[in-house]
Amino acid sequence: MPGTGLQAHTERDFLPPWLWLVAAPLVLPALYLVRYLDLDFYLNWMEGERGIIENLAPLILLPAIFCGIALWRRRRVFPSLWIAGWFVLHGLGAFYFAGEEISWGQHFFSWLTPETIGALNDQNETNLHNMSSWLDQK
């Protein structure tokens, strides 16, 4: 579309525009609708440590982790090494965020929290973000 700043959709596009322009903004209202229509279903399947919402965050972060690795491996194509380092930093941040969200696998593999960590952790989980308000709330 000339002059609008929007390009026409081509088959090479990874995501069609309707997906990120229309579908993505509808996710939050859809969650509220499900909660309103069936609270028990919402609480059992959407919320909680094994719920869809809790586990979508690490799943969404996986591509960022892989992109950080891939971009570091191709660091020679960047005009400066610090640019590749910046992408690696983002990938490491995504890795940390994903690991913390799943308590580094504790909820999947059902291990007990070591006593030394449990004494410091608000929710008795194997993660850092529940040990301090600086890591959890700020």
Side-chain angles (χ1 to χ4, degrees), residues 11-132:
E11 289 187 35
R12 294 182 330 164
D13 290 342
F14 182 70
L15 294 175
W18 66 264
L19 187 61
W20 52 271
L21 280 173
V22 178
L26 292 177
V27 170
L28 188 59
L31 285 172
Y32 280 112
L33 181 64
V34 169
R35 183 182 169 96
Y36 175 76
L37 294 175
D38 192 345
L39 183 60
D40 289 334
F41 175 84
Y42 180 84
L43 293 174
N44 287 329
W45 292 96
M46 299 295 180
E47 281 192 3
E49 294 299 332
R50 294 185 184 225
I52 292 171
I53 295 170
E54 186 77 17
N55 291 299
L56 271 180
L59 189 63
I60 290 170
L61 290 165
L62 272 177
I65 296 166
F66 291 126
C67 283
I69 294 167
L71 290 169
W72 178 253
R73 292 182 67 187
R74 300 196 61 209
R75 63 189 172 273
R76 288 174 196 81
V77 301
F78 293 104
S80 182
L81 186 61
W82 73 266
I83 297 171
W86 184 251
F87 285 117
V88 167
L89 188 61
H90 280 88
L92 288 172
F95 177 75
Y96 171 76
F97 183 8
E100 285 287 302
E101 277 298 306
I102 60 171
S103 295
W104 300 101
Q106 180 177 16
H107 300 295
F108 294 116
F109 303 113
S110 301
W111 69 65
L112 298 176
T113 304
E115 289 181 29
T116 54
I117 295 174
L120 299 171
N121 193 290
D122 294 345
Q123 295 181 4
N124 198 33
E125 296 176 325
T126 308
N127 59 40
L128 297 173
H129 71 268
N130 291 326
M131 291 187 181
S132 161

